[in-house]
Amino acid sequence: MSAFVGKYAEELIKNAKYIATPGKGILAADESTGTIGKRLSSISVENIESNRQALRELLFTSPNALSYLSGVILFEETLYQKTSDGKPFVEVLEENNVIPGIKVDKGTVEIAGTNGETTTQGFDSLGTRCQQYYKAGARFAKWRAVLKIGPNEPSELSIQQNAQGLARYAIICQENGLVPIVEPEVLTDGPHDIQKCAAVTETVLAAVYKALNEHHVLLEGTLLKPNMVTPGSDSPKVAAEVIAQYTVTALRRTVPPAVPGIVFLSGGQSEEEATLNLDAMNKLEVLKPWTLSFSFGRALQQSTLKTWAGKKENVPKAQEAFLSRCKANSEATLGKYGGGSAGGLASESLFVKGYKY
Amino acid sequence: MSCFTSKYADELAKNAAYIGTPGKGILAADESTGTIGKRLSSINVENVEENRRALRELLFTAPGALQYLSGVILFEETLYQKTAAGKPFVDVLKEGGVLPGIKVDKGTVELNGTNGETFTQGLDGLAQRCQKYYEAGARFAKWRAVLKIGANEPTELAIQENANGLAMYAAICQQCGLVPIVEPEILVDGSHDIKKCADVTERVLAACYKSLNDHHVMLEGTLLKPNMVTPGSESPKVAPEVIAEYTVRALQRTVPAAVPAIVFLSGGQSEEEATLNLNAMNKLQTKKPWSLSFSFGRALQQSTLKAWAGKEENLKKAQDALLVRCKANSEATLGTYKGDAKLGEGAAESLHVSNYKY
């Protein structure tokens, strides 16, 4: 094959397929210490380990929520944390048939000579780190590459660098038993229209899959985490059906059928927007050879965070808010979302300019 | 979109989808004058225009055959020919629900510094030629790129040149209303195993689709004509189910769902082999977002040619032979072929010719 078939091949294929189970999706709870700090400060909670642990415990022990999840992405610190009863988070997830995942990139740095374009770091000892994470129970990984739309962006350099970086990360993961989630996020920032976003997304995805082929990545053992195709943040919004049409067309033109599942990032979309868009995609009557699901961070946690506000007595209500979003998104993956699980908080835009995790 | 906007966009998508209709496929009757000469001489028929015309009339008027075809690829000369009764071939096809297609490449030339690798000519004035062909009734085109497997082949140069050539040709066709069939044929010649063929096929197809994206080609208005994934001609044969598995997997890994149909070339396979392999692919229970059909030349015409032998009195026998192969391949596109087609003389005969040139 042109694909690398190592000792983990069958396991990778099985896990990737499981994560892509219709009706399930991924909770992205892998905010770095710095980023989770911003979230906590927005609800006036101190950024210390016990609070970070408390938040994640709230999420992972939400009654019935885990049944709508096939995976949770963790930050390294969280991979080794436990519940207040002393049970490792990894076990909590595994007992509920949720696969633990791990963020393995080390953030972005600017590419000199470009207009603020970036490349992603994290290759040093990546293989060794993946082995350690595998031993700790992780079975998939995530690496975020970032591209932006501008008059001269994304540049060919940025596209090539990020595509090659994703491919190299992906093969190293597969060598070490982790299903790589390939995430080439094209930021929403900008005044461009949806056609421009579609053109850039198609160009970027074509480059990514060419690079994956060059690096012998086994596509059946990967997942894709792309942006939805939308107008820029400074442009008028469009209906969910329009987003669905442009997004699915872009994916049909670039993502080989061998990829088992596509798990969208939410970008700056509100909880409700993200769910409605995902639902519209799954309602679209066109042939889709991969499942379309979610890998949401902010769009799953926003109202939960606000409801919790760091107070123990708010935990049950916060967990209900979380369950509500999980269930809504699960229905969206089946094209069965009826709307109406949007509390005021769920409709709040989560857009932050030039968002860095 | 990253793809172009052309006034023909809807028509291209419609025609490409039609060609991919389950139960139908393409007859590749676009042999150049030189190549058809070899076929005719194998049955002791002189290579003159009248004989070339007579052969194609035999094919296009075979009773019941056209219903199994969605397209026929023609050589330029044939596009302007008529039946003996004076009816343009193009009209015969259209009335039979068959789209006329046209070969637009001008053959291969060697790439300097390589070990016999080639690229394909034909870009000069291509747009003007395509416009002319569209006016004459053609609605799709074909361009054959050729790669080979060897110790160091295909080289990155050969892959890039051929992928780029295919993409440029495809973009020009779409501007002129012709659905481009993208044909990156990897020759079966060699002693390599099926895994090697799969490896090379995946690499070549990935390069093709990257190039098509670079050139803003609208995939919904294209077709792919690849080789099946098989062992090399000098290697032991394998079962159709194995060929099916390797072939479909290679396509799943490289061909986006936006492509409506994949129409295989037969290479050197016998008529029956090609049909059995196609059938096995369509029986495979796995993800196939494009239809899998045929674009056969030799593998549709071999026993017909032999039955005809250039003699008018053999007309019915020859047309019956064509109908048998068309029907068998139609069933193969549905995965319902039972292997019971009446084998004409030569239907099981390998059609492999080393380093085949059209």
Side-chain angles (χ1 to χ4, degrees):
Chain A
M1 311 299 131
S2 71
F4 166 69
V5 177
K7 67 175 184 171
Y8 292 108
E10 301 241 335
E11 189 180 328
L12 293 169
I13 294 172
K14 182 167 137 286
N15 286 336
K17 207 159 171 234
Y18 176 72
I19 292 172
T21 303
K24 293 185 189 279
I26 295 173
L27 163 65
D30 60 320
E31 300 88 353
S32 61
T33 309
T35 301
I36 201 64
K38 294 186 211 161
R39 303 282 165 77
L40 295 174
S41 87
S42 80
I43 52 168
S44 302
V45 171
E46 202 187 349
N47 187 11
I48 49 175
E49 200 194 328
S50 61
N51 285 338
R52 298 193 290 271
Q53 183 275 342
L55 169 59
R56 274 60 180 267
E57 176 165 350
L58 183 163
L59 296 170
F60 305 160
T61 61
S62 291
N64 303 316
L66 293 191
S67 68
Y68 299 113
L69 302 178
S70 49
V72 174
I73 320 179
L74 306 168
F75 182 60
E76 189 180 295
E77 177 190 75
T78 323
L79 185 65
Y80 298 101
Q81 283 180 335
K82 305 175 160 79
T83 65
S84 35
D85 291 341
K87 182 175 226 174
F89 281 156
V90 163
E91 269 178 44
V92 173
L93 295 176
E94 281 167 358
E95 278 167 18
N96 286 280
N97 299 311
V98 179
I99 303 185
I102 177 74
K103 185 228 299 287
V104 301
D105 72 73
K106 293 186 179 236
T108 56
V109 285
E110 280 199 20
I111 304 175
T114 68
N115 180 20
E117 292 182 291
T118 65
T119 183
T120 301
Q121 305 184 115
F123 288 110
D124 296 354
S125 302
L126 180 57
T128 310
R129 291 168 55 222
C130 285
Q131 280 164 27
Q132 286 165 358
Y133 297 144
Y134 184 94
K135 278 205 195 90
R139 289 295 178 272
F140 73 94
K142 166 268 182 93
W143 171 288
R144 179 174 175 257
V146 184
L147 298 112
K148 67 185 233 187
I149 296 178
N152 303 304
E153 291 83 17
S155 62
E156 190 56 27
L157 175 62
S158 161
I159 294 173
Q160 279 314 310
Q161 280 301 304
N162 282 291
Q164 290 291 321
L166 280 166
R168 185 86 191 104
Y169 137 82
I171 194 71
I172 291 171
C173 282
Q174 292 194 328
E175 286 179 278
N176 295 292
L178 303 181
V179 171
I181 294 187
V182 174
E183 180 178 354
E185 173 169 6
V186 176
L187 295 174
T188 31
D189 305 48
H192 55 272
D193 59 18
I194 194 170
Q195 283 88 352
K196 176 70 179 176
C197 179
V200 171
T201 301
E202 288 174 26
T203 302
V204 168
L205 288 177
V208 168
Y209 281 97
K210 179 66 167 65
L212 291 173
N213 178 276
E214 285 166 18
H215 287 253
H216 310 295
V217 176
L218 178 69
L219 293 187
E220 294 87 341
T222 66
L223 296 158
L224 178 68
K225 179 166 170 169
N227 50 285
M228 298 184 192
V229 176
T230 68
S233 53
D234 298 334
S235 272
K237 288 199 183 293
V238 301
E241 290 68 34
V242 178
I243 288 173
Q245 183 74 36
Y246 276 88
T247 304
V248 174
T249 299
L251 299 168
R252 276 170 48 87
R253 288 174 170 175
T254 53
V255 185
V259 175
I262 297 178
V263 291
F264 292 96
L265 59 93
S266 43
Q269 296 179 34
S270 72
E271 289 175 327
E272 187 66 359
E273 258 184 302
T275 304
L276 288 171
N277 290 335
L278 180 62
D279 182 67
M281 286 183 221
N282 280 294
K283 286 184 146 95
L284 213 52
E285 305 238 340
V286 78
L287 210 152
K288 293 162 279 188
W290 0 251
T291 58
L292 298 177
S293 184
F294 56 93
S295 174
F296 292 165
R298 287 170 279 172
L300 267 173
Q301 298 179 60
Q302 179 71 356
S303 38
T304 305
L305 255 174
K306 293 211 155 161
T307 309
W308 177 47
K311 301 197 169 84
K312 214 166 168 140
E313 60 269 28
N314 292 340
V315 168
K317 259 190 37 175
Q319 291 185 320
E320 270 172 38
F322 183 58
L323 171 63
S324 170
R325 287 329 303 170
C326 287
K327 185 161 183 289
N329 284 304
S330 162
E331 287 168 5
T333 71
L334 302 169
K336 291 194 160 71
Y337 179 56
S341 64
L345 296 173
S347 304
E348 199 179 287
S349 169
L350 300 164
F351 175 68
V352 172
K353 233 184 161 67
Y355 190 72
K356 289 173 180 25
Y357 279 111
Chain B
M1 305 295 135
S2 74
C3 72
F4 79 158
T5 33
S6 141
K7 62 179 185 174
Y8 293 108
D10 288 345
E11 187 181 328
L12 291 168
K14 180 167 140 286
N15 286 338
Y18 176 71
I19 292 175
T21 303
K24 293 184 188 282
I26 295 173
L27 164 63
D30 61 318
E31 300 88 353
S32 61
T33 308
T35 301
I36 199 63
K38 294 185 209 163
R39 303 283 165 75
L40 294 174
S41 86
S42 81
I43 52 168
N44 297 318
V45 172
E46 203 188 349
N47 187 12
V48 292
E49 196 192 333
E50 176 46 32
N51 287 339
R52 297 194 289 272
R53 191 208 62 78
L55 169 60
R56 272 61 180 265
E57 176 166 350
L58 183 163
L59 297 172
F60 305 160
T61 60
L66 292 193
Q67 67 180 297
Y68 300 117
L69 302 177
S70 47
V72 174
I73 321 178
L74 307 168
F75 182 61
E76 188 179 294
E77 176 188 78
T78 322
L79 186 64
Y80 298 100
Q81 284 181 331
K82 306 174 160 79
T83 64
K87 182 175 224 168
F89 281 157
V90 163
D91 290 346
V92 173
L93 294 176
K94 281 188 181 156
E95 281 166 24
V98 180
L99 289 175
I102 177 74
K103 186 229 298 287
V104 301
D105 72 73
K106 294 184 180 235
T108 58
V109 283
E110 281 201 16
L111 279 167
N112 182 42
T114 68
N115 179 22
E117 291 181 293
T118 64
F119 74 98
T120 300
Q121 306 185 111
L123 290 175
D124 294 355
L126 181 58
Q128 286 74 17
R129 293 169 52 223
C130 284
Q131 279 160 25
K132 241 181 26 133
Y133 297 144
Y134 185 94
E135 275 157 34
R139 288 296 177 270
F140 71 96
K142 165 267 183 97
W143 170 290
R144 178 174 176 256
V146 184
L147 297 117
K148 67 185 230 183
I149 295 178
N152 304 305
E153 290 80 18
T155 58
E156 194 55 30
L157 173 67
I159 295 175
Q160 278 317 309
E161 278 305 305
N162 282 289
N164 193 53
L166 279 166
M168 290 204 68
Y169 137 81
I172 291 169
C173 281
Q174 291 196 330
Q175 287 301 326
C176 301
L178 302 180
V179 171
I181 295 186
V182 174
E183 181 179 354
E185 173 170 7
I186 298 161
L187 295 174
V188 73
D189 302 46
S191 53
H192 53 273
D193 61 16
I194 193 169
K195 286 188 160 70
K196 176 72 179 177
C197 179
D199 177 1
V200 172
T201 302
E202 287 172 28
R203 215 156 35 104
V204 168
L205 290 177
C208 284
Y209 282 96
K210 177 63 165 69
S211 274
L212 290 169
N213 181 279
D214 289 342
H215 287 255
H216 311 293
V217 176
M218 185 183 81
L219 294 187
E220 294 86 344
T222 66
L223 298 159
L224 178 68
K225 179 166 170 169
N227 50 283
M228 297 184 192
V229 176
T230 69
S233 53
E234 290 154 40
S235 273
K237 288 200 183 291
V238 300
E241 290 70 31
V242 178
I243 287 173
E245 191 191 320
Y246 278 84
T247 304
V248 175
R249 186 164 53 208
L251 300 168
Q252 286 174 335
R253 289 174 172 176
T254 53
V255 185
V259 176
I262 298 177
V263 292
F264 293 95
L265 60 94
S266 44
Q269 296 180 36
S270 72
E271 289 176 327
E272 188 65 0
E273 256 184 303
T275 304
L276 289 171
N277 290 335
L278 180 62
N279 190 53
M281 286 183 221
N282 279 294
K283 282 174 108 112
L284 211 51
Q285 302 273 344
T286 184
K287 280 193 285 191
K288 290 168 288 185
W290 357 252
S291 57
L292 298 177
S293 185
F294 56 93
S295 174
F296 292 166
R298 289 171 278 172
L300 268 174
Q301 298 180 57
Q302 178 72 356
S303 40
T304 304
L305 258 173
K306 292 209 153 161
W308 179 48
K311 301 195 170 81
E312 182 127 18
E313 59 267 30
N314 292 338
L315 184 71
K316 182 172 185 320
K317 229 174 58 152
Q319 291 184 322
D320 284 348
L322 179 67
L323 178 60
V324 165
R325 290 329 304 171
C326 285
K327 185 163 184 288
N329 283 305
S330 164
E331 289 168 3
T333 71
L334 303 168
T336 60
Y337 179 57
K338 296 191 175 39
D340 56 352
K342 196 172 85 146
L343 292 188
E345 189 201 319
E349 195 181 290
S350 165
L351 299 162
H352 176 62
V353 173
S354 221
N355 204 18
Y356 189 71
K357 287 174 182 26
Y358 278 112

